[in-house]
Amino acid sequence: MRPLFVPVMAFASLLLAGCASAPNDPTLTLQTSKTPAQYADCVVPKLQGSALNPTVSQSQRSYRIVVPSKVAADNVLEAYKDGKGGKVFIYERHLLASNLLPSSFERAAQDCI
């Protein structure tokens, strides 16, 4: 039993370290000429059309769109007022196998620039 204990503990430590060091930096930052409201009006229907269920909240200067995930952290898109348009921050957690192609979440965000 002891020979199995060490590899299992090492693997568990790696998993916990991965959770503890999850990046808080955006996975993608975009600049748009649209206001945050115009950008949200464009991206929300695209997300709904991809069978995603976005939740939208707003403040005076920004919109926050959250798409829940069953297997990872929620995907978040934040659009802020910036000069003559807006700045968009995308926080998306990919599964290892899905990093090759842009997700429907990322495509919707880029289509509305």
Side-chain angles (χ1 to χ4, degrees):
M1 168 113 92
R2 212 177 263 281
L4 182 60
F5 181 74
V6 173
V8 168
M9 288 304 294
F11 182 69
S13 297
L14 287 173
L15 286 177
L16 289 175
C19 291
S21 64
N24 289 326
D25 295 330
T27 53
L28 186 62
T29 302
L30 305 169
Q31 191 75 32
T32 180
S33 60
K34 296 178 180 177
T35 66
Q38 291 169 329
Y39 186 81
D41 288 343
C42 175
V43 79
V44 169
K46 289 183 183 295
L47 293 172
Q48 290 170 335
S50 297
L52 302 173
N53 296 320
T55 303
V56 180
S57 59
Q58 74 180 77
S59 69
Q60 286 183 337
R61 295 182 45 96
S62 69
Y63 276 74
R64 180 179 176 97
I65 301 165
V66 178
V67 176
S69 173
K70 294 178 183 176
V71 294
D74 292 346
N75 295 322
V76 178
L77 188 149
E78 294 177 331
Y80 290 92
K81 189 174 183 180
D82 180 44
K84 295 183 180 180
K87 197 164 206 169
V88 179
F89 298 97
I90 299 170
Y91 301 87
E92 183 177 24
R93 304 299 175 245
H94 293 282
L95 296 174
L96 292 176
S98 66
N99 282 339
L100 300 176
L101 298 173
S103 66
S104 56
F105 183 74
E106 185 178 332
R107 280 193 309 270
Q110 290 182 344
D111 287 349
C112 289
I113 292 299

